Amino acid sequence: MTGGSRAHARVPGHVTGLFTVERGNDPKATGSRGGGLTLEAGVEVSVEPSSETTVLMGEESIDLEAAKRVLENLGESATVEVETDLPLGVGFGLSGGIALGTALAANETFDLARSTNELVTVAHVADVEAGTGLGDVVAQARGGIVLRTAAGAPGHGSLDGIPGGGRIEYLVLGELSTPDILADRPDRISRAGRRALDRLEKTPTRSTFMEASRSFTEETGLATSSIQSVLDAVEDAGGTAAMAMLGETVFGFGTVLSDAGYDPSVTRVGHTGARLRE
Amino acid sequence: MTGGSRAHARVPGHVTGLFTVERGNDPKATGSRGGGLTLEAGVEVSVEPSSETTVLMGEESIDLEAAKRVLENLGESATVEVETDLPLGVGFGLSGGIALGTALAANETFDLARSTNELVTVAHVADVEAGTGLGDVVAQARGGIVLRTAAGAPGHGSLDGIPGGGRIEYLVLGELSTPDILADRPDRISRAGRRALDRLEKTPTRSTFMEASRSFTEETGLATSSIQSVLDAVEDAGGTAAMAMLGETVFGFGTVLSDAGYDPSVTRVGHTGARLRE
């Protein structure tokens, strides 16, 4: 029951379909409202005490500010090893996911006796302060299809869910910079996000999630021309796809991308939130 | 993505280790604070439209008031079929679990477009009004080791968690009646529950959960003499076990019951909350 010298956590990937930007005085109260899918595909994070903090993916050291901030906040230093079946920087919430996995695994390794909400808060604040995410961490902690009905860490934000899940197809076209986009047009994003979320709160179903996400993509003007041409092709084939916020990635339920002639990656909605591995 | 004529849900079992009784004016605000383990073992519920509501376990019709109340509240009638690898009426939260599974599956079958929180609320209210549970439903919706830090349905209650999980052993000695016990000594239970929960909120770890649950069992005087002798034998063998609230059932982590010479049933902490089956 007590941690060894090394602990492992698994955190699901998270694709945001629509969101608002909500900045408070405190990073705990800062975040976003919106909706997204947590995925069976995700990230494995292991934490081992070390005199200096490094984050490794394979053999390579990566600069993952959110994970480093988590360890600083917890007053520990460690070697963090990351493995994932999802690509980084294309809209799967991996910065937040690695931060949350680091918090969970560090709590076990260093016997910190923090509650889940405390660890989620540390990871959320780290992701917000690093500028890499506003709502992934709280969704990843829960699992399933998550509605962020109020923004922020546990105690500030509040969550609801859309029941059900299913097969998810996605197609990665390229990278986008989350900090740049959030700085560029927060008001336009938030207006479109509020409209989409209102619609989704009235009819919290999987099909309305996709339609509201598609409208959000249109109204924010965030789609690149490559994304737009995939969205149009899926629509022509009778399906609904949307853009992963924020990456040059398109996603949809079932076989919407295959049906439109693409060769997508496949995962499923994951019903299990972030957890320690045993 | 849309429901067929029949839908299935899976809900984890839930063992409460310590709790308070919190009665509000409204069943949504009624519930309990406390802590418990959600389990990999659980209940499968299927719902199929029917002119009259019946709840079947195997071939047998069972009188499960909480599940019937869920369908009444949703304005539907259905045949509910229940399968479980856990015994009914001995402290695994199956009344609440079947109510929650019925709500999730009925939402899909009848295309009701309710959110997860709405369905959890309907099931929580049904369990409270049937007198069969106060806190199982909200814990079962979340998964993991759950702290109920404020009582009631989503929007009223609040939850936290203890990170981690592990192997759980349990031994069923007999049945207890939840409604009778809750009516008999709510004040003594709530006093002991507040003390145990305070301790657990200060140190939210698996070992403190077991110690606080063991103290709660002692202070409430709920243990039957058969339970007391098992608890003592586990303690003599160097372990900590506690009583499942409310059933004549003893549980603990790892191999505490085997180590004391018993032949227990085995499951694990489940990290996945209630969900639709696909």
Side-chain angles (χ1 to χ4, degrees):
Chain A
M1 281 171 56
T2 55
S5 63
R6 185 187 175 110
H8 301 260
R10 176 158 181 98
V11 183
H14 179 246
V15 173
T16 293
L18 54 103
F19 70 104
T20 68
V21 180
E22 314 276 345
R23 301 221 176 262
N25 290 327
D26 176 344
K28 291 190 187 83
T30 294
S32 74
R33 302 197 305 132
L37 311 172
T38 49
L39 304 177
E40 285 188 356
V43 62
E44 302 271 340
V45 180
S46 75
V47 168
E48 192 167 24
S50 167
S51 57
E52 203 180 325
T53 291
T54 43
V55 183
L56 299 172
M57 185 175 274
E59 299 297 296
E60 219 171 317
S61 167
I62 59 172
D63 183 27
L64 217 132
E65 187 186 335
K68 291 178 181 168
R69 282 178 178 267
V70 163
L71 287 165
E72 264 173 45
N73 180 303
L74 296 174
E76 305 288 350
S77 60
T79 300
V80 178
E81 287 186 39
V82 175
E83 276 177 60
T84 178
D85 43 357
L86 287 168
L88 261 173
V90 296
F92 291 105
L94 294 189
S95 304
I98 295 167
L100 181 53
T102 300
L104 283 165
N107 181 65
E108 188 77 1
T109 292
F110 297 107
D111 279 329
L112 303 178
R114 305 289 183 99
S115 78
T116 305
N117 286 356
E118 289 171 324
L119 297 168
V120 171
T121 298
V122 168
H124 173 79
V125 166
D127 200 24
V128 166
E129 290 186 334
T132 42
L134 289 169
D136 293 314
V137 169
V138 294
Q140 287 164 320
R142 176 182 170 114
I145 307 178
V146 180
L147 298 181
R148 305 188 307 277
T149 52
H156 296 271
S158 56
L159 301 176
D160 197 350
I162 295 175
R167 173 186 161 110
I168 303 294
E169 291 189 345
Y170 65 90
L171 196 64
V172 177
L173 304 166
E175 297 192 12
L176 291 175
S177 164
T178 298
D180 291 353
I181 289 172
L182 293 183
D184 188 42
R185 53 183 110 189
D187 295 341
R188 186 167 170 188
I189 289 173
S190 291
R191 264 198 312 276
R194 279 193 298 273
R195 245 192 318 268
L197 187 60
D198 279 354
R199 183 174 166 193
L200 193 49
E201 288 185 320
K202 281 198 191 85
T203 314
T205 63
R206 282 155 280 175
S207 54
T208 305
F209 171 78
M210 285 310 307
E211 289 155 17
S213 296
R214 173 69 203 263
S215 303
F216 178 80
T217 304
E218 299 287 341
E219 290 179 24
T220 52
L222 288 170
T224 60
S225 59
S226 326
I227 287 192
Q228 194 58 52
S229 73
V230 179
L231 297 179
D232 291 345
V234 169
E235 193 159 30
D236 289 345
T240 306
M243 176 182 164
M245 299 293 162
L246 286 163
E248 201 174 3
T249 298
V250 179
F251 71 95
F253 276 98
T255 55
V256 290
L257 286 159
S258 308
D259 292 349
Y262 296 99
D263 183 25
S265 301
V266 177
T267 181
R268 301 185 68 80
V269 171
H271 294 289
T272 311
R275 66 220 179 261
L276 279 178
R277 294 295 291 255
E278 285 149 24
Chain B
M1 283 173 56
T2 55
S5 62
R6 185 185 175 109
H8 302 258
R10 175 156 183 100
V11 184
H14 179 246
V15 173
T16 294
L18 54 103
F19 69 104
T20 68
V21 179
E22 314 277 344
R23 301 220 177 261
N25 291 327
D26 176 343
K28 293 190 186 82
T30 294
S32 74
R33 301 197 305 132
L37 312 172
T38 49
L39 304 177
E40 286 188 354
V43 61
E44 301 271 342
V45 179
S46 75
V47 168
E48 192 167 24
S50 166
S51 57
E52 203 179 326
T53 291
T54 44
V55 182
L56 299 172
M57 186 176 273
E59 300 296 295
E60 220 172 315
S61 168
I62 59 172
D63 184 26
L64 216 133
E65 187 186 335
K68 291 178 181 168
R69 282 178 178 267
V70 164
L71 286 166
E72 263 172 44
N73 181 304
L74 296 174
E76 304 289 350
S77 61
T79 301
V80 177
E81 288 186 40
V82 175
E83 277 177 57
T84 178
D85 43 356
L86 288 168
L88 262 173
V90 296
F92 290 105
L94 294 190
S95 303
I98 295 168
L100 181 54
T102 300
L104 283 166
N107 181 64
E108 188 78 359
T109 293
F110 297 107
D111 278 328
L112 302 178
R114 305 289 184 98
S115 78
T116 305
N117 286 357
E118 289 171 325
L119 298 168
V120 172
T121 298
V122 167
H124 173 79
V125 166
D127 201 24
V128 166
E129 290 186 334
T132 43
L134 288 170
D136 293 312
V137 169
V138 294
Q140 287 163 321
R142 177 182 169 112
I145 308 178
V146 180
L147 299 180
R148 304 188 307 277
T149 52
H156 297 270
S158 56
L159 301 177
D160 197 350
I162 295 175
R167 174 188 161 108
I168 303 293
E169 292 189 345
Y170 65 90
L171 197 64
V172 177
L173 305 166
E175 296 192 12
L176 291 175
S177 164
T178 298
D180 291 355
I181 288 171
L182 293 182
D184 188 42
R185 52 182 110 186
D187 295 341
R188 187 167 170 187
I189 288 172
S190 292
R191 265 198 311 278
R194 279 193 298 274
R195 246 192 318 268
L197 186 60
D198 280 353
R199 183 174 167 195
L200 192 49
E201 287 184 320
K202 281 198 190 83
T203 313
T205 63
R206 284 154 281 175
S207 54
T208 305
F209 171 78
M210 285 310 306
E211 289 155 15
S213 297
R214 173 69 204 265
S215 303
F216 178 81
T217 303
E218 299 287 340
E219 290 179 24
T220 53
L222 289 171
T224 59
S225 59
S226 327
I227 287 191
Q228 194 58 53
S229 74
V230 178
L231 296 179
D232 291 345
V234 169
E235 193 159 29
D236 288 346
T240 306
M243 176 182 164
M245 300 292 162
L246 285 163
E248 202 173 3
T249 298
V250 179
F251 72 95
F253 276 97
T255 55
V256 290
L257 286 158
S258 309
D259 292 348
Y262 296 99
D263 182 25
S265 301
V266 177
T267 182
R268 302 185 68 79
V269 171
H271 294 288
T272 310
R275 67 220 178 260
L276 279 178
R277 295 296 291 255
E278 286 146 26

